[in-house]
Amino acid sequence: MTLAPGTRLGPYEIVGPLGAGGMGEVYRAKDTRLGRDVAIKALPEGFERDPERAARFEREAKLLAALQHPNVGSIFGLEEVGGHRYLVLEFVEGETLSARLSRGALPVDEALAVCAQIAAAVEAAHEAGVIHRDLKPGNVMLKPDGIVKVLDFGLAKASATDGSSADMGLPASPTMTYAATGAGVILGTAGYMSPEQARGKAVDRRTDIWSFGCVLFECITGRQAFAGETVSDVIARILQTEPDWSALPAATPLRVRDLLARCLTRDAKQRLQAIGEARIVLELVAAQPADASPAAAPASAGRPRPRRLAAVLPWVVAALALGVAAVALSRRPALRPSASEVSVVLPQGRRLGEDVGFHFFALSPDGRALAYASHENGRLAMRLRRLDHREDVELPGTENARDMFFSPDGEWIAFFDSQNLLKASVHGGAPVVLAPAGQDRLGTWLADGTIVFSAETTAPLTRMPAAGGTPVAITQLDTTAKERTHRFPCALAGGPWVVFTVGRVDSPGGYDNGQIDAVNVRTGERRWLVHGARRAIWAPPGYLVYDRAGDLYAMPIDPRDPRPTSEPIPVLDGVAGETSSGAAFMDISSDGTLAWIADDERAHQRTIGWFDRSGRWTPTAIPPGEYRRLALSPEGRRALIDVGPGGGSSDLWVADLASGGMNRITFGGTGSDGVWLKDGARMAYARRDSTGGYSVVVRRIDGDGGERDLFHVSHPIRLTDCTPSGDRLIFSDYGLAQGRIWTVHVDGDPDPHALAPDRGNDKNEMAAAVSPDGRWIAYVSNRTSREEVCVRRFEGEGGSWQVSAGGGRGLRWGHDGRELFLVQGETLKRVTVDDAGPRSNGGPVLSVSQPTPLFEVPPSPTEPAYRDYAYDPRGDRFLFTRPLAGTEERREIVLSLGWTLHLAERIRARKARP
């Protein structure tokens, strides 16, 4: 309803209109009792007859009443007059930030001061459980005294106390300010939407962080981060493009550039997670502006990556002349403005060797050398870079090296090569084999001359003398707690306490909720320390630093008596790692230097296309996405795709390879491992439930007729194939030490049957594929301590033939069953398989050729045995996912010098906050 000047609403007399929006009309009024100006907000005409909008209006009053902060507009009351309800709000004198920006950008120092107050207001709202959802310059008032007020929580919603979304029935997207679509028209609210809002998804407090980044960008540049003539143009830019980072003025401090990049990251999981961190950065920069020297961002960067030359240590300066570049970075919010960072970049043609689950670099105890696995020309070996020398050197005998770690004196490097644990002298010479180790998960070298290591993915920790000897288990897997692995050990201050990651049977491919324990290697005593972490490492002088979904947290700890001490605090975000194995790519030296690899949000995105046998790539029409596994339909025109982060949190989609159209099959991160049935109209997939168990489900692709559960098991499984006749599915246990391969009838007996008896000596069999003629089954087995490809009869008695030597995974049959494809290292290879006739006892004899290479394949986002590709016999081509251009190679390691020396300062500052 419209209120004319002079209208009385109880003690309030309307002076005139202030504005109107999608959720109310606002008037200036006089409080005749208290003699002050107020703002009256009333629902527009007709809204009061809408129960949902009326209820939302009342919720706004309750939400605002919960906020008491100098930078948040206050609420004085909720009144009802003549059947109409009104909010009585604080009247804020001044102009909107939108009006100020219409005259141009703010000076950088003024922009930082204004946005620090905006961040403080939003921080207070988030702490009260309120998400604004419509943060924009038009909702920010600048008072003459310099105080900034954030207004209009009319679209706010309450959030759950755990930070998850609690929608309360409100829409997921803010209202849009529609305008004429003539040239030069800039839309309002739409330009500040987060990507998740633009897609209509549920939102949480990270949507405000995106909007804050848009506001900060506009304050500094005077232009919107995402603008366009129509709503569609704006949303398209939000979903597909980066802001024009070159628009940032030269005076923009480095940390502010980095803060903008973290706020305007499209993937909410990789975005800045707490608006309070933005406030801290802006306040620090404002307090010490001289340190925030500007630098230009490289044109090739997908986000601002400002750099400056390092003036820190002589050996860093010396490294500038090498094939490895050493430069100071400001990628992430630093612990304090004086912290220095240098970057070690491999020369062109080399990249850091990587495989899902393994670490590929280590920092020496004195912080003056790096060992890393370097991939060059299809060959992987360990190289040593002394940062005060001009060149790195390859250590002999270190082919296929991974999971390396230094001795306490820095004279030796221990590493794994998929068969053994070895050690190599930093001065050269042949490595020494210490113990067998197949699918290892790192180790640590204690000050007493012993090594603690994880020899297999499903094993406890083992200890042995570094000089050689018999390994002895020092932990036991607690089967009552469903433990399946102890991995990533790290000694606290050299020992005897060692921290390690605990993985569970019900989550073998997801470690974001892993557990960190400590064990005394002398007494065997074991203690719980942290829940919800991938990997933990020791940081002198007395901290446990651990990774949680790419963010580092620190907790004070006594290395002689490790126990949880206080609430850990976030200290660094954007560290690369692997959810599926728990790997976190970081290391810390005894002098407090942190070595780490920065995560690239684009590295999680992949494209889908075809390789022919020569390795020539042809992309499909499918847009980039977070793709993991795929299965090609019988007619070769569609694909079932796992989409999501993995670790039991993906969903299935079906994609048309020609048009690029995609339709979702499952929801809630519960579906994976799609397999086509022979008719091409039906599919099967593995569905995860809330207990960690799995069901195999059959349904039509179009959803007609609903779904049918074949069976349920209490542990994870991987569905891998369907028989050529289409009557049986093939799956294997996942995450078990002695997993087996099973079949289940699609339309008959729903009880699974093992394909082979449990012979005891087979540690694990998995990733099976049936030949097109139904006679043979190829699978991956680690019975020789390394994952090798084997073939045996699909049914009946007979022997097993090892096809690969030197490892193998990713099995696909050719069109006639006489050709088998497999991946060795990073190369797709083929072998021929022929029936050489019966044995004397009537069993078959299989003739298998040596593997011959076809082409190099892209890095895989999935577990090694389950390679993400499909073979199309009609076109004799291979369907692969591969990383976006420019993200397929990791070539850079960041060194944050003296990083741990400032942890105490950061923790004290955090505790001192009200």
Side-chain angles (χ1 to χ4, degrees), residues 411-463:
E411 293 294 302
W412 293 86
I413 307 172
F415 66 96
F416 301 85
D417 68 354
S418 81
Q419 291 188 7
N420 297 298
L421 167 66
L422 307 93
K423 66 176 182 180
S425 170
V426 297
H427 304 292
V432 178
V433 175
L434 297 177
Q439 294 298 308
D440 58 278
R441 288 297 184 265
L442 207 56
T444 185
W445 198 315
L446 276 63
D448 64 2
T450 61
I451 292 175
V452 173
F453 64 103
S454 175
E456 300 288 344
T457 57
T458 54
L461 297 183
T462 303
R463 184 188 186 194

Coordinates of all heavy atoms in Angstrom, one line a residue, residues 411-463:
E411 N 70.5 -36.5 5.0 CA 71.5 -37.2 4.2 C 70.9 -38.3 3.4 O 71.5 -38.7 2.4 CB 72.6 -37.8 5.1 CG 73.5 -36.7 5.8 CD 74.3 -36.0 4.7 OE1 75.1 -36.6 4.0 OE2 74.2 -34.7 4.7
W412 N 69.7 -38.7 3.7 CA 69.0 -39.8 3.0 C 67.6 -39.4 2.6 O 67.0 -38.6 3.3 CB 69.0 -41.1 3.8 CG 70.3 -41.7 4.1 CD1 71.2 -41.4 5.1 CD2 70.9 -42.7 3.3 NE1 72.3 -42.2 5.0 CE2 72.2 -43.0 3.9 CE3 70.6 -43.5 2.2 CZ2 73.0 -44.0 3.4 CZ3 71.4 -44.4 1.7 CH2 72.7 -44.7 2.3
I413 N 67.1 -40.0 1.6 CA 65.7 -39.8 1.2 C 65.1 -41.2 1.0 O 65.6 -42.0 0.2 CB 65.5 -39.0 -0.1 CG1 66.3 -37.7 -0.1 CG2 64.0 -38.8 -0.4 CD1 66.3 -37.0 -1.4
A414 N 64.1 -41.5 1.8 CA 63.4 -42.8 1.7 C 62.2 -42.5 0.7 O 61.7 -41.4 0.6 CB 62.8 -43.2 3.0
F415 N 61.9 -43.6 -0.1 CA 60.8 -43.4 -1.1 C 60.2 -44.8 -1.4 O 60.8 -45.8 -1.0 CB 61.3 -42.7 -2.3 CG 62.3 -43.5 -3.1 CD1 62.0 -44.3 -4.2 CD2 63.7 -43.5 -2.8 CE1 62.9 -45.0 -4.9 CE2 64.6 -44.2 -3.5 CZ 64.2 -45.0 -4.6
F416 N 59.1 -44.8 -2.1 CA 58.5 -46.0 -2.6 C 58.4 -46.0 -4.1 O 58.4 -45.0 -4.7 CB 57.1 -46.1 -2.0 CG 57.0 -46.1 -0.5 CD1 56.9 -44.9 0.2 CD2 56.9 -47.3 0.2 CE1 56.9 -44.9 1.6 CE2 56.8 -47.3 1.6 CZ 56.8 -46.1 2.3
D417 N 58.4 -47.3 -4.7 CA 58.3 -47.4 -6.1 C 57.3 -48.3 -6.6 O 57.4 -48.9 -7.7 CB 59.7 -47.7 -6.7 CG 60.1 -49.2 -6.3 OD1 59.4 -49.8 -5.5 OD2 61.2 -49.6 -6.9
S418 N 56.3 -48.6 -5.8 CA 55.1 -49.5 -6.1 C 55.5 -50.9 -5.8 O 54.6 -51.8 -5.9 CB 54.6 -49.4 -7.5 OG 55.4 -50.1 -8.4
Q419 N 56.7 -51.2 -5.4 CA 57.1 -52.6 -5.1 C 57.8 -52.7 -3.7 O 57.6 -53.6 -2.9 CB 58.0 -53.2 -6.1 CG 57.3 -53.5 -7.4 CD 58.2 -54.3 -8.4 OE1 59.3 -54.8 -8.0 NE2 57.8 -54.5 -9.6
N420 N 58.6 -51.6 -3.4 CA 59.4 -51.7 -2.2 C 59.5 -50.3 -1.6 O 59.3 -49.2 -2.2 CB 60.9 -52.1 -2.6 CG 60.9 -53.5 -3.1 OD1 60.5 -54.5 -2.4 ND2 61.3 -53.7 -4.4
L421 N 59.9 -50.3 -0.3 CA 60.4 -49.1 0.4 C 61.9 -49.1 0.2 O 62.6 -50.1 0.5 CB 60.0 -49.2 1.9 CG 60.8 -48.1 2.8 CD1 60.4 -46.7 2.4 CD2 60.5 -48.5 4.2
L422 N 62.5 -48.0 -0.3 CA 63.9 -47.9 -0.5 C 64.4 -46.6 0.1 O 63.7 -45.7 0.6 CB 64.2 -47.8 -2.0 CG 63.6 -48.9 -2.9 CD1 62.3 -48.5 -3.5 CD2 64.6 -49.2 -4.0
K423 N 65.8 -46.5 0.2 CA 66.4 -45.2 0.6 C 67.5 -44.9 -0.3 O 68.2 -45.8 -0.8 CB 66.9 -45.3 2.1 CG 68.0 -46.3 2.3 CD 68.5 -46.2 3.8 CE 69.7 -47.2 4.0 NZ 70.1 -47.1 5.4
A424 N 67.7 -43.6 -0.6 CA 68.8 -43.2 -1.5 C 69.6 -42.1 -0.8 O 69.0 -41.2 -0.2 CB 68.2 -42.7 -2.8
S425 N 70.9 -42.1 -1.0 CA 71.7 -41.0 -0.5 C 71.6 -39.8 -1.3 O 71.4 -39.8 -2.5 CB 73.2 -41.5 -0.5 OG 74.1 -40.4 -0.2
V426 N 71.5 -38.6 -0.7 CA 71.4 -37.4 -1.4 C 72.7 -37.1 -2.2 O 72.7 -36.2 -3.1 CB 71.2 -36.2 -0.4 CG1 69.8 -36.4 0.3 CG2 72.3 -36.0 0.6
H427 N 73.8 -37.9 -1.9 CA 75.0 -37.7 -2.7 C 75.1 -38.6 -3.9 O 76.2 -38.6 -4.6 CB 76.2 -37.9 -1.7 CG 76.2 -37.0 -0.5 ND1 76.3 -35.6 -0.6 CD2 75.9 -37.3 0.8 CE1 76.2 -35.1 0.7 NE2 76.0 -36.1 1.5
G428 N 74.1 -39.4 -4.1 CA 74.1 -40.3 -5.2 C 74.4 -41.8 -4.8 O 74.5 -42.1 -3.6
G429 N 74.5 -42.6 -5.8 CA 74.7 -44.1 -5.5 C 73.4 -44.8 -5.6 O 72.3 -44.3 -5.6
A430 N 73.5 -46.1 -5.8 CA 72.3 -47.0 -5.9 C 71.5 -47.0 -4.7 O 72.0 -47.1 -3.6 CB 72.7 -48.4 -6.3
P431 N 70.1 -46.9 -4.8 CA 69.3 -47.0 -3.7 C 69.3 -48.4 -3.0 O 69.7 -49.4 -3.6 CB 67.9 -46.8 -4.2 CG 68.1 -46.1 -5.6 CD 69.4 -46.7 -6.1
V432 N 69.0 -48.4 -1.7 CA 69.0 -49.6 -0.9 C 67.5 -50.0 -0.6 O 66.7 -49.2 -0.2 CB 69.7 -49.4 0.4 CG1 69.7 -50.7 1.3 CG2 71.2 -48.9 0.2
V433 N 67.2 -51.3 -1.0 CA 65.9 -51.8 -0.7 C 65.7 -52.1 0.8 O 66.6 -52.8 1.3 CB 65.6 -53.0 -1.6 CG1 64.2 -53.6 -1.2 CG2 65.6 -52.6 -3.1
L434 N 64.7 -51.6 1.4 CA 64.5 -51.8 2.8 C 63.4 -52.9 3.1 O 63.6 -53.7 4.0 CB 64.1 -50.5 3.5 CG 65.2 -49.4 3.5 CD1 64.7 -48.1 4.2 CD2 66.5 -49.9 4.2
A435 N 62.3 -52.8 2.4 CA 61.2 -53.7 2.7 C 60.2 -53.7 1.5 O 60.1 -52.7 0.8 CB 60.5 -53.3 4.0
P436 N 59.4 -54.8 1.4 CA 58.4 -54.8 0.4 C 57.3 -53.8 0.7 O 56.9 -53.7 1.9 CB 57.9 -56.3 0.4 CG 58.9 -57.0 1.1 CD 59.6 -56.1 2.1
A437 N 56.7 -53.2 -0.3 CA 55.6 -52.2 -0.1 C 54.9 -52.0 -1.4 O 55.6 -51.5 -2.4 CB 56.1 -50.9 0.5
G438 N 53.7 -52.4 -1.5 CA 53.0 -52.2 -2.8 C 52.2 -50.9 -3.0 O 52.7 -50.0 -3.6
Q439 N 51.0 -50.9 -2.4 CA 50.2 -49.6 -2.5 C 50.4 -48.8 -1.2 O 49.6 -48.7 -0.3 CB 48.8 -50.0 -2.7 CG 48.5 -50.7 -4.0 CD 48.8 -49.7 -5.2 OE1 48.3 -48.6 -5.2 NE2 49.6 -50.2 -6.1
D440 N 51.6 -48.2 -1.1 CA 52.0 -47.5 0.1 C 51.2 -46.3 0.3 O 50.6 -45.7 -0.6 CB 53.5 -47.2 0.0 CG 53.8 -46.3 -1.2 OD1 53.9 -46.9 -2.3 OD2 53.8 -45.1 -1.1
R441 N 51.3 -45.7 1.6 CA 50.7 -44.5 1.9 C 51.7 -43.7 2.9 O 51.4 -43.4 4.0 CB 49.4 -44.6 2.5 CG 48.3 -45.1 1.6 CD 48.0 -44.0 0.5 NE 46.9 -44.3 -0.4 CZ 47.1 -44.9 -1.6 NH1 48.3 -45.2 -2.0 NH2 46.0 -45.1 -2.4
L442 N 52.9 -43.5 2.4 CA 53.9 -42.6 3.0 C 54.5 -43.2 4.2 O 54.2 -44.3 4.7 CB 53.2 -41.2 3.3 CG 54.2 -40.0 3.4 CD1 54.9 -39.8 2.1 CD2 53.4 -38.7 3.7
G443 N 55.6 -42.5 4.7 CA 56.3 -42.9 5.9 C 57.0 -41.7 6.6 O 56.9 -40.6 6.1
T444 N 57.6 -42.0 7.7 CA 58.3 -40.9 8.5 C 59.6 -41.5 9.1 O 59.5 -42.7 9.5 CB 57.4 -40.3 9.5 OG1 58.0 -39.2 10.1 CG2 57.0 -41.3 10.6
W445 N 60.6 -40.7 9.1 CA 61.9 -41.2 9.6 C 62.1 -40.6 11.0 O 62.3 -39.4 11.1 CB 63.0 -40.8 8.7 CG 64.3 -41.5 8.8 CD1 65.0 -41.8 9.9 CD2 65.1 -42.0 7.7 NE1 66.2 -42.5 9.6 CE2 66.3 -42.6 8.2 CE3 65.0 -42.0 6.3 CZ2 67.3 -43.1 7.4 CZ3 66.0 -42.5 5.5 CH2 67.1 -43.1 6.1
L446 N 62.2 -41.4 12.0 CA 62.3 -40.9 13.4 C 63.8 -40.6 13.8 O 64.7 -41.2 13.2 CB 61.8 -42.0 14.4 CG 60.2 -41.9 14.6 CD1 59.5 -42.2 13.3 CD2 59.8 -42.9 15.7
A447 N 63.9 -39.8 14.8 CA 65.3 -39.4 15.3 C 66.1 -40.6 15.8 O 67.3 -40.6 15.9 CB 65.2 -38.3 16.3
D448 N 65.4 -41.7 16.3 CA 66.1 -42.9 16.8 C 66.6 -43.8 15.7 O 67.1 -44.9 16.0 CB 65.2 -43.6 17.8 CG 64.0 -44.2 17.2 OD1 63.8 -44.1 15.9 OD2 63.2 -44.8 17.9
G449 N 66.5 -43.4 14.5 CA 67.0 -44.2 13.4 C 66.1 -45.3 12.9 O 66.5 -46.3 12.2
T450 N 64.8 -45.2 13.2 CA 63.8 -46.1 12.7 C 62.8 -45.4 11.7 O 62.7 -44.2 11.7 CB 63.0 -46.8 13.8 OG1 62.3 -45.8 14.5 CG2 63.9 -47.5 14.7
I451 N 62.2 -46.2 10.9 CA 61.2 -45.7 9.9 C 59.9 -46.3 10.2 O 59.8 -47.5 10.4 CB 61.6 -46.0 8.5 CG1 62.9 -45.2 8.1 CG2 60.5 -45.7 7.5 CD1 63.4 -45.6 6.7
V452 N 58.9 -45.4 10.3 CA 57.5 -45.9 10.4 C 56.8 -45.6 9.1 O 56.9 -44.5 8.5 CB 56.7 -45.1 11.5 CG1 55.3 -45.5 11.5 CG2 57.4 -45.4 12.9
F453 N 56.1 -46.6 8.5 CA 55.6 -46.5 7.2 C 54.3 -47.3 7.0 O 54.0 -48.2 7.8 CB 56.6 -46.9 6.1 CG 57.0 -48.3 6.1 CD1 56.5 -49.2 5.2 CD2 57.9 -48.8 7.0 CE1 56.9 -50.5 5.1 CE2 58.3 -50.1 7.0 CZ 57.8 -51.0 6.1
S454 N 53.5 -46.9 6.0 CA 52.3 -47.6 5.6 C 52.6 -48.3 4.3 O 52.7 -47.7 3.3 CB 51.2 -46.6 5.5 OG 50.0 -47.2 5.0
A455 N 52.6 -49.7 4.4 CA 53.1 -50.5 3.3 C 52.0 -50.7 2.3 O 52.2 -51.0 1.1 CB 53.7 -51.8 3.7
E456 N 50.7 -50.7 2.7 CA 49.6 -51.0 1.8 C 48.4 -50.1 2.1 O 48.4 -49.5 3.2 CB 49.1 -52.5 2.0 CG 50.2 -53.5 1.7 CD 50.5 -53.6 0.2 OE1 49.7 -53.1 -0.6 OE2 51.6 -54.2 -0.2
T457 N 47.5 -50.0 1.2 CA 46.3 -49.1 1.5 C 45.4 -49.7 2.6 O 44.6 -48.9 3.1 CB 45.5 -49.0 0.2 OG1 45.1 -50.3 -0.3 CG2 46.3 -48.3 -0.9
T458 N 45.5 -51.0 2.9 CA 44.6 -51.6 3.9 C 45.4 -52.2 4.9 O 45.3 -53.4 5.3 CB 43.7 -52.6 3.2 OG1 44.4 -53.5 2.5 CG2 42.7 -51.9 2.3
A459 N 46.4 -51.5 5.5 CA 47.3 -52.1 6.5 C 47.5 -51.1 7.6 O 47.3 -49.9 7.5 CB 48.6 -52.4 5.8
P460 N 47.9 -51.7 8.8 CA 48.3 -50.8 9.9 C 49.7 -50.2 9.7 O 50.4 -50.5 8.6 CB 48.3 -51.8 11.1 CG 48.7 -53.1 10.5 CD 48.0 -53.1 9.1
L461 N 50.2 -49.4 10.6 CA 51.6 -48.9 10.5 C 52.6 -49.9 10.9 O 52.4 -50.7 11.8 CB 51.7 -47.6 11.4 CG 50.8 -46.4 11.0 CD1 51.1 -45.3 12.0 CD2 51.0 -46.0 9.6
T462 N 53.7 -49.8 10.2 CA 54.9 -50.7 10.4 C 56.1 -49.9 10.8 O 56.3 -48.8 10.3 CB 55.1 -51.6 9.2 OG1 53.9 -52.3 8.8 CG2 56.2 -52.6 9.4
R463 N 57.0 -50.6 11.6 CA 58.2 -49.9 12.0 C 59.4 -50.8 11.7 O 59.3 -52.0 11.9 CB 58.2 -49.6 13.5 CG 59.4 -48.8 14.0 CD 59.3 -48.7 15.5 NE 60.4 -47.9 16.1 CZ 60.7 -47.8 17.4 NH1 60.1 -48.6 18.2 NH2 61.7 -47.0 17.8

